[in-house]
Amino acid sequence: MYREDVLCRSILGNIPGRQTRQYQSPSHTPTTMTDFKGVVVDLRSDTITKPSDGMKKAMMEALVGDDVYREDPTVSELEKRMAECTGKEAALFVPSGTMGNLISVLGHCEHRGSEVLLGDLAHIFLYEQAGMAQLGGIQPHIIPTNPDGTFDVDEIPVRLRYEDVHYPRTCLVCLENTQNVCGGKVVPLHWIDKVGEVAESVGLPVHMDGARVMNASVASGVSLERILRVCQTASICFSKGLGTPVGSVIVGPEKFMYKAIRLRKVLGGGMRQAGMLAAAAIYSLDHMVHRLAQDHHHAQLIAKAINEEKSRNVTCHPDDVDTNIIIVNLNPETVTPDQFCERLLMVSEDEINETGDGGVLVKVMPWTTTTVRFVTHLDASLDHIQAVITKLKYVIRELDSIH
Amino acid sequence: MADLAGETMNGGGGGGGEIKVGVGGKTRVGEEGGVGVGAKIRVGEEGRVGVGGKTRVVDLRSDTLTYPSLGMKTAMMEAILGDDVLGEDPTVNALQERVARLLGKESAAFLPSGTMCNLIAVLLHCDRRGGEVLVGDNCHIYRWEQGGIAQFGGVHSKSLKTHPDGTFSLTELRQAVRADNIHFPRPSLVCVENTHNMEGGKVLPLSWLDELSVTCRELGLPLHMDGARLLNASVSLGVSPERIVRDFDSVTICLSKGLGAPVGSVLVSSAAFIERAKRLRKGLGGGMRQSGVLAAAGLYALQHIYPRLSEDHKHVQIIAKAVNECVGGAVTCDPSGAHTNILMLTCDPARITPAQFCTRMEKVGEGEEAALGERVSCRLISINDTTVRLVTYKDISLDDVEALVKKLVYVIKGIA
């Protein structure tokens, strides 16, 4: 049921500024953003993070060059550091995680008629516009994903294609860590290792979509190098929780990176004085990794607060929250994700009177047909989180009083 | 033999085969606070290039080397930002509107590179399988974009012979656009490049563009302009960019070349086309987040750098004239053929090959410092068996140009 929900649903875009519709209860007045005097907390995604003053200073001071000529010393420094901390030979700075994954898949699957094994809830499969098929002519072959973000390792040899004129050729296994759709789940290290072992036994490389692998590393206390040990390549985002304005990095073998540089260029990702962006990433490596634990803590606070309400209508368990993503379950008979999100973007007079401080608006994403996603990040401070909790408690109680 | 021991400025000195230097030591200290441009210096056949800190390095390999000034960087850091994938970065939105207005089109999309702009344009115009694009055989899309349109779009290229002025024959175009026949791909788009890079930064004649558009309208074909250096064309002609692209359905314009922004280009077209372009941008992996930092540089460039592009053109003329005055030299050029900021030098391969010439220009030879009064190293690019290209841009000062000219004349006169 969960799987079908996700596959049927597309993520809503931009919610701000929208005139909110009248909610179920007649006691509410719609609020427009321009009138609002209270606190707005945006938890739609960690991609909205903005560069701090320290990060901007690093960007200003960066030495730059033409990265298409591979002459940008700051890009080179970032790539060197990423190679080192992931235990790989080389790295490449790219404009986005989507491009990082696309380059990796295309690089691993160079021959026509290839197929990739990956989870059915993988970002690469669901949210990258079928790039591997659209642009690479590669077929994705999906494996059912477990709620913990893993898939059954035994499915790999079962689904592997043997040589037959009817079959494409399996060329790659992809993993995702943390697993986004499942709720920012840290996939177990022993599972990653097992996937690597099985993949190697059948001659397949492994690529990790590690958009949020830094969150996984901080949450589990395991080094990036160890997490990625069995992965030949990985794509790691800097523009999410780490807070940089733009960019991701691919890591992997030196020979692969040469292919990756070519793919990056032909896709149109060859940037010039990209050192300014790389400087932000370097800054984040030095200053923004450890603080991810705070985002995880904030996510726990929100999950606990929801759980404490013991609501019939809105539920979430702290044990299901591994990192900075919270999936909140809604009772489909009482409220839809759209309605819940809209309600969080409204305040009533009663609400302001009760909660004080001009009220709170919270932006979050409808996720599946029955869930909503919250993502904590560096631009949502403890104060903001507490405001979110205040709002949530109010709304949940209101819902529970009606239904 | 040149000497490596000199004090280094701006960049770190290194031992071994690769040395990082600040570009043009003397001219680099100033408001930019000595931002060095890391550059690897190749070991030439005749020995190491002298790049101790006292060497003036004049790097004319491309105008993509432009680096952001302090003013530009300040604008970048002060920009208001948002998530551009969600359409919420106000600075990106402002840049897109500005460029669309400049070109007289409805809409624009900010992209990481000109290559991506062209790729998206071709893929969108030729979005039915079996399509064909008609292009000049010496254009960037055909020769320098790794065949991306074929690789990712399955688009066939029909190349037309490029004339030295950057145009192609409209008769050849008509003949190439064939009737619907089961043997033929479907002609779906015509592309031109302005200024034309490989023909030496040539500005396409306005009259030819107008005739081309009439022809394409008759043939029922849309037109795309790879206007990576469109603003150079506009400045050279004294004609507004809007007028130049009036009849074009889509246009690529680069911010990271002569305009000096660190990253980015803009694809310009109708609102409907740009909506589709943003979608394909995401699929290609060009969806950036707080790219307002980059867009701010673009806005700054349009305001402050665009007005001075004619200086780069003047610099090319100074260089071209000086080369031209070396009568009987092994290296020649045609000043009248240099319309903008690119100059092609022709080498007589019997006397010196382009590769040899480039190496020689980079090296500081024996006795040269005494003859020229300073150590000058110039970086140029060998294009083919007979041609060397150099490109001027905002970070090449008049001083640099004069040093380059001294060196060019000295070297050319020294070739048997």
Side-chain angles (χ1 to χ4, degrees):
Chain A
M1 184 185 72
Y2 183 66
R3 210 157 288 125
E4 278 86 68
D5 286 347
V6 171
L7 297 176
C8 293
R9 157 133 225 144
S10 57
I11 288 188
L12 279 189
N14 187 1
I15 304 180
R18 226 175 85 191
Q19 176 87 44
T20 50
R21 289 200 308 278
Q22 189 73 38
Y23 187 62
Q24 308 276 0
S25 163
S27 69
H28 288 96
T29 341
T31 312
T32 52
M33 293 303 234
T34 43
D35 297 336
F36 187 63
K37 303 279 185 292
V39 175
V40 181
V41 187
D42 192 341
L43 298 181
R44 284 175 297 163
S45 181
D46 48 6
T47 58
I48 66 168
T49 49
K50 299 208 173 85
S52 64
D53 288 342
M55 186 177 278
K56 287 199 221 181
K57 185 161 174 288
M59 292 171 75
M60 282 279 277
E61 292 172 355
L63 288 183
V64 296
D66 187 328
D67 188 45
V68 170
Y69 291 179
R70 304 298 277 155
E71 288 176 4
D72 189 302
T74 309
V75 171
S76 299
E77 193 196 323
L78 171 67
E79 291 170 354
K80 190 158 156 280
R81 282 198 54 182
M82 285 305 293
E84 270 163 17
C85 75
T86 55
K88 303 299 174 203
E89 289 173 4
L92 183 69
F93 183 62
V94 293
S96 69
T98 296
M99 193 182 280
N101 287 328
L102 183 58
I103 288 175
S104 299
V105 173
L106 262 50
H108 282 293
C109 310
E110 292 187 280
H111 297 286
R112 199 170 298 111
S114 292
E115 186 171 84
V116 173
L117 288 170
L118 75 171
D120 65 345
L121 297 182
H123 195 270
I124 293 174
F125 179 66
L126 291 175
Y127 302 123
E128 297 187 7
Q129 233 187 82
M132 72 166 85
Q134 192 186 158
L135 302 162
I138 299 163
Q139 169 148 292
H141 182 130
I142 48 175
I143 306 173
T145 308
N146 301 322
D148 68 351
T150 63
F151 50 76
D152 186 349
V153 178
D154 295 333
E155 291 290 330
I156 296 174
V158 165
R159 293 165 184 270
L160 174 75
R161 306 285 199 161
Y162 53 82
E163 190 59 31
D164 184 303
V165 75
H166 297 83
Y167 292 163
R169 292 187 176 116
T170 315
C171 63
L172 178 67
V173 178
C174 287
L175 312 176
E176 185 176 320
N177 194 17
T178 62
Q179 218 295 338
N180 177 12
V181 171
C182 292
K185 290 288 195 303
V186 178
V187 293
L189 190 62
H190 62 84
W191 177 77
I192 301 174
D193 287 347
K194 191 79 183 133
V195 169
E197 192 190 307
V198 171
E200 197 183 12
S201 72
V202 295
L204 293 176
V206 176
H207 167 72
M208 180 179 286
D209 176 357
R212 297 185 175 93
V213 73
M214 298 282 190
N215 292 76
S217 173
V218 166
S220 61
V222 178
S223 72
L224 282 183
E225 183 174 346
R226 179 62 185 90
I227 293 175
L228 296 173
R229 180 181 301 171
V230 303
C231 304
Q232 227 203 17
T233 57
S235 177
I236 300 173
C237 286
F238 282 90
S239 61
K240 295 188 169 72
L242 293 176
T244 75
V246 172
S248 296
V249 169
I250 310 173
V251 296
E254 182 83 55
K255 275 180 78 173
F256 189 91
M257 225 45 68
Y258 177 69
K259 277 195 269 191
I261 290 172
R262 277 183 67 78
L263 282 164
R264 182 184 74 169
K265 186 78 177 74
V266 67
L267 284 166
M271 298 183 283
R272 300 292 173 176
Q273 286 72 32
M276 294 190 71
L277 302 174
I282 293 170
Y283 181 90
S284 77
L285 283 176
D286 292 332
H287 298 98
M288 311 296 257
V289 177
H290 295 302
R291 66 148 308 291
L292 291 175
Q294 252 178 63
D295 299 337
H296 302 169
H297 175 59
H298 291 169
Q300 280 295 308
L301 292 178
I302 293 176
K304 281 197 179 83
I306 294 173
N307 200 39
E308 275 162 10
E309 293 300 304
K310 300 200 183 339
S311 165
R312 287 181 296 281
N313 299 300
V314 180
T315 54
C316 164
H317 204 285
D319 290 348
D320 287 336
V321 178
D322 285 357
T323 54
N324 67 325
I325 296 179
I326 311 148
I327 304 295
V328 175
N329 303 292
L330 303 175
N331 182 344
E333 281 158 39
T334 56
V335 61
T336 69
D338 282 346
Q339 288 171 333
F340 189 71
C341 291
E342 278 175 28
R343 178 60 188 90
L344 291 178
L345 282 176
M346 296 167 67
V347 272
S348 64
E349 265 190 59
D350 286 343
E351 188 185 325
I352 295 180
N353 292 336
E354 198 176 302
T355 61
D357 290 331
V360 183
L361 298 183
V362 183
K363 296 189 203 178
V364 289
M365 288 252 191
W367 199 231
T368 65
T369 51
T370 57
T371 60
V372 168
R373 186 188 77 162
F374 289 59
V375 185
T376 56
H377 54 78
L378 65 99
D379 288 329
S381 66
L382 184 59
D383 279 350
H384 288 129
I385 299 301
Q386 279 160 354
V388 169
I389 289 172
T390 305
K391 177 79 177 185
L392 276 171
K393 284 183 184 279
Y394 188 90
V395 169
I396 292 172
R397 287 170 194 171
E398 178 186 275
L399 257 172
D400 284 350
S401 72
I402 302 166
H403 301 284
Chain B
M1 271 314 253
D3 136 272
L4 285 170
E7 78 205 18
T8 51
M9 290 159 90
N10 301 332
E18 282 181 278
I19 304 131
K20 287 194 187 288
V21 274
V23 171
K26 282 186 190 167
T27 55
R28 278 300 151 256
V29 180
E31 52 136 19
E32 286 86 28
V35 173
V37 176
K40 291 194 198 128
I41 305 295
R42 300 185 305 279
V43 175
E45 293 146 46
E46 290 124 78
R48 289 171 181 275
V49 177
V51 281
K54 291 189 173 153
T55 301
R56 180 201 296 262
V57 178
V58 186
D59 195 340
L60 300 165
R61 288 174 297 159
S62 181
D63 50 3
T64 58
L65 298 171
T66 46
Y67 68 83
S69 65
L70 187 62
M72 183 179 275
K73 288 199 273 188
T74 308
M76 292 171 77
M77 295 305 117
E78 290 175 357
I80 301 177
L81 305 173
D83 187 329
D84 188 53
V85 169
L86 301 177
E88 290 174 10
D89 188 304
T91 308
V92 173
N93 293 340
L95 172 72
Q96 289 168 166
E97 277 164 44
R98 173 95 184 77
V99 175
R101 243 189 356 256
L102 181 68
L103 269 52
K105 303 292 177 201
E106 283 178 0
S107 247
F110 180 60
L111 302 177
S113 68
T115 296
M116 195 183 277
C117 287
N118 289 331
L119 180 60
I120 287 178
V122 174
L123 261 49
L124 289 185
H125 283 295
C126 309
D127 63 347
R128 278 177 77 193
R129 195 172 304 111
E132 177 178 79
V133 62
L134 294 114
V135 289
D137 64 354
N138 208 10
C139 78
H140 201 268
I141 292 174
Y142 185 64
R143 297 200 53 202
W144 298 95
E145 298 187 4
Q146 237 192 87
I149 59 175
Q151 208 179 143
F152 299 124
V155 178
H156 187 259
S157 297
K158 171 82 180 89
S159 59
L160 306 166
K161 176 117 184 59
T162 309
H163 298 161
D165 67 351
T167 64
F168 44 76
S169 154
L170 297 182
T171 312
E172 196 185 334
L173 172 65
R174 283 183 186 280
Q175 285 169 353
V177 178
R178 301 175 283 182
D180 195 8
N181 181 305
I182 201 171
H183 296 83
F184 303 158
R186 214 174 278 116
S188 309
L189 176 68
V190 178
C191 286
V192 301
E193 184 176 322
N194 195 15
T195 63
H196 198 293
N197 177 7
M198 284 293 125
E199 293 303 334
K202 293 280 197 302
V203 178
L204 300 180
L206 205 56
S207 56
W208 181 79
L209 290 176
D210 289 347
E211 237 191 293
L212 171 71
S213 81
V214 168
T215 308
C216 288
R217 224 172 297 135
E218 277 172 34
L219 295 170
L221 292 174
L223 268 170
H224 171 71
M225 181 181 288
D226 176 357
R229 297 183 175 93
L230 174 68
L231 298 188
N232 291 80
S234 166
V235 160
S236 171
L237 276 180
V239 171
S240 73
E242 183 175 344
R243 172 62 184 88
I244 296 175
V245 304
R246 182 191 65 194
D247 301 321
F248 282 76
D249 298 278
S250 56
V251 185
T252 293
I253 163 173
C254 286
L255 300 168
S256 60
K257 295 188 168 71
L259 290 175
V263 172
S265 297
V266 185
L267 178 62
V268 191
S269 183
S270 68
F273 191 88
I274 294 302
E275 209 179 298
R276 294 166 65 208
K278 287 181 179 173
R279 196 179 147 71
L280 184 51
R281 173 184 71 178
K282 186 80 177 70
L284 287 167
M288 298 182 282
R289 300 290 175 177
Q290 288 72 36
S291 37
V293 300
L294 302 174
L299 284 164
Y300 183 94
L302 289 171
Q303 202 179 344
H304 299 276
I305 317 286
Y306 176 19
R308 55 148 310 291
L309 287 178
S310 56
E311 268 175 60
D312 300 334
H313 302 177
K314 286 195 193 103
H315 290 170
V316 157
Q317 286 301 309
I318 293 171
I319 300 166
K321 283 198 177 74
V323 170
N324 210 33
E325 277 158 16
C326 299
V327 180
V331 179
T332 55
C333 77
D334 170 21
S336 67
H339 298 174
T340 54
N341 67 326
I342 296 179
L343 180 63
M344 299 305 217
L345 303 175
T346 306
C347 296
D348 176 355
R351 295 164 70 182
I352 189 160
T353 66
Q356 288 168 338
F357 183 66
C358 289
T359 308
R360 178 63 193 88
M361 286 297 292
E362 211 177 316
K363 189 180 95 123
V364 178
E366 233 181 281
E368 199 179 302
E369 189 176 350
L372 301 183
E374 63 172 324
R375 300 163 61 85
V376 183
S377 168
C378 303
R379 306 192 68 186
L380 315 172
I381 286 195
S382 150
I383 296 290
N384 57 31
D385 293 343
T386 54
T387 316
V388 169
R389 186 189 80 167
L390 61 88
V391 187
T392 58
Y393 52 96
K394 70 172 183 72
D395 302 308
I396 302 296
S397 65
L398 187 57
D399 263 8
D400 290 326
V401 170
E402 282 164 0
L404 166 72
V405 163
K406 268 192 321 212
K407 172 119 184 176
L408 268 171
V409 169
Y410 177 83
V411 167
I412 292 172
K413 289 195 167 141
I415 300 169

